[in-house]
Amino acid sequence: QDMNPIALSATQKVHFTFAGNVGKVQNLENIVNAFQLLPKNYKEKTQLNIIGDGSNLENIRLLSGNCSNIVFYGKKSREEMASFYKSSNFLIVSLVDKPIFSSTVPGKLQTYIAAKKPILAIINGETADIVSDNNLGISVDPSNVGLIKEVFEKCIDMPENEKSEFVINNAKLLETTFNKDSIINKMTSQLTGCNDWMMKCLITGSTGFIGNRLLGLLKTIKCDVRLLGKSKVSNYETVVCNLGQD
């Protein structure tokens, strides 16, 4: 759905937006600390938007103090998020620097690619490689607050033609590697060839990138499906947990 951009500030600024679960593993402490280190002349030109809620939200609010350029919007619907993405200059994907997350690609990466905005990947591993290898934005070590601050400055100073190149590359990747129809068709072909034996699947993020279409497909074959998520999904056995804490 095509939505109009939302006014994130009264004056024109460079907007960095983080959207999603605000838990410990999202590494917002280092992001906020780095943003707070920006010199005054940079701070005046930018705003950090945090959209979502979670177990660590109150700590991040306290850490942000009275900084007027860090704005919290609370939880928004998927439909509303399109307006926030459209008004943003950079979308932030982040996780703490732990080996378990090096091979993790957060579902929001596909969402950000679909939004066709430059991506600021404050993360190591597979996600950083996708962003760097496909020139979708900038990646930086999530454990180095000084480097994160320098990357904020680089993004604020970035000319429009460089940002436009990131946008074009996101659009290209959306039509190829991250094309939903292509992925579903490939998975359908692979999974339907397994219907002569019982298969067990544990699925996380069942309402995300592949979502209900995958669940519908698995229903048609001999597959024991269990879901892992923050809330119960009707008609499926669900292991309820907070992936940011448990």
Side-chain angles (χ1 to χ4, degrees):
Q1 185 180 2
D2 191 22
M3 299 186 72
N4 294 323
I6 190 171
L8 294 174
S9 57
T11 58
Q12 185 174 359
K13 294 182 178 182
V14 177
H15 284 277
F16 297 90
T17 296
F18 171 93
N21 182 51
V22 183
K24 279 285 187 181
V25 302
Q26 276 71 39
N27 198 38
L28 282 164
E29 286 90 349
N30 282 358
I31 293 170
V32 167
N33 284 332
F35 193 84
Q36 298 270 43
L37 289 175
L38 288 171
K40 183 179 178 182
N41 61 317
Y42 276 94
K43 264 188 188 171
E44 290 172 346
K45 296 187 286 187
T46 189
Q47 183 170 303
L48 174 61
N49 306 296
I50 298 176
I51 306 168
D53 60 11
S55 60
N56 204 35
L57 178 60
E58 192 55 37
N59 290 334
I60 299 303
R61 284 185 184 275
L62 291 172
L63 188 63
S64 302
N66 296 318
C67 181
S68 61
N69 288 17
I70 301 178
V71 182
F72 294 85
Y73 289 90
K75 188 174 182 179
K76 299 294 179 181
S77 69
R78 290 191 182 192
E79 292 74 23
E80 291 176 293
M81 285 310 305
S83 294
F84 285 92
Y85 293 148
K86 188 169 285 190
S87 300
S88 302
N89 301 100
F90 292 87
L91 300 177
I92 297 174
V93 56
S94 59
L95 284 173
V96 294
D97 186 18
K98 291 186 178 180
I100 191 173
F101 297 124
S102 63
S103 58
T104 298
V105 179
K108 75 175 66 178
L109 179 64
Q110 290 92 341
T111 302
Y112 287 175
I113 291 171
K116 299 175 184 175
K117 288 286 183 174
I119 297 170
L120 176 51
I122 306 176
I123 190 170
N124 283 331
E126 186 73 19
T127 301
D129 291 343
I130 292 172
V131 171
S132 298
D133 293 348
N134 295 281
N135 198 27
L136 307 178
I138 298 177
S139 61
V140 61
D141 183 349
S143 61
N144 192 320
V145 173
L147 284 180
I148 297 172
K149 174 228 174 204
E150 290 177 10
V151 165
F152 274 134
E153 292 175 349
K154 181 177 180 180
C155 291
I156 293 166
D157 289 335
M158 188 176 293
E160 287 301 319
N161 65 311
E162 190 171 344
K163 286 186 278 190
S164 295
E165 188 175 342
F166 295 147
V167 172
I168 291 169
N169 291 333
N170 273 288
K172 288 179 181 177
L173 202 63
L174 189 63
E175 293 302 315
T176 54
T177 306
F178 288 101
N179 182 282
K180 290 187 179 183
D181 289 331
S182 175
I183 292 172
I184 288 290
N185 291 337
K186 185 175 181 180
M187 292 185 69
T188 300
S189 175
Q190 292 175 337
L191 290 172
T192 51
C194 301
N195 59 8
D196 58 340
W197 49 276
M198 174 61 77
M199 180 168 54
K200 294 183 179 181
C201 292
L202 178 65
I203 301 173
T204 64
S206 59
T207 59
F209 185 43
I210 302 301
N212 291 327
R213 293 176 67 181
L214 172 60
L215 293 176
L217 170 63
L218 293 173
K219 265 187 175 181
T220 67
I221 63 176
K222 296 176 182 177
C223 188
D224 179 18
V225 178
R226 299 180 187 183
L227 307 181
L228 187 64
K230 291 188 288 185
S231 58
K232 171 72 177 172
V233 178
S234 59
N235 302 322
Y236 294 97
E237 182 178 348
T238 308
V239 178
V240 178
C241 69
N242 186 335
L243 295 176
Q245 291 182 310
D246 300 335

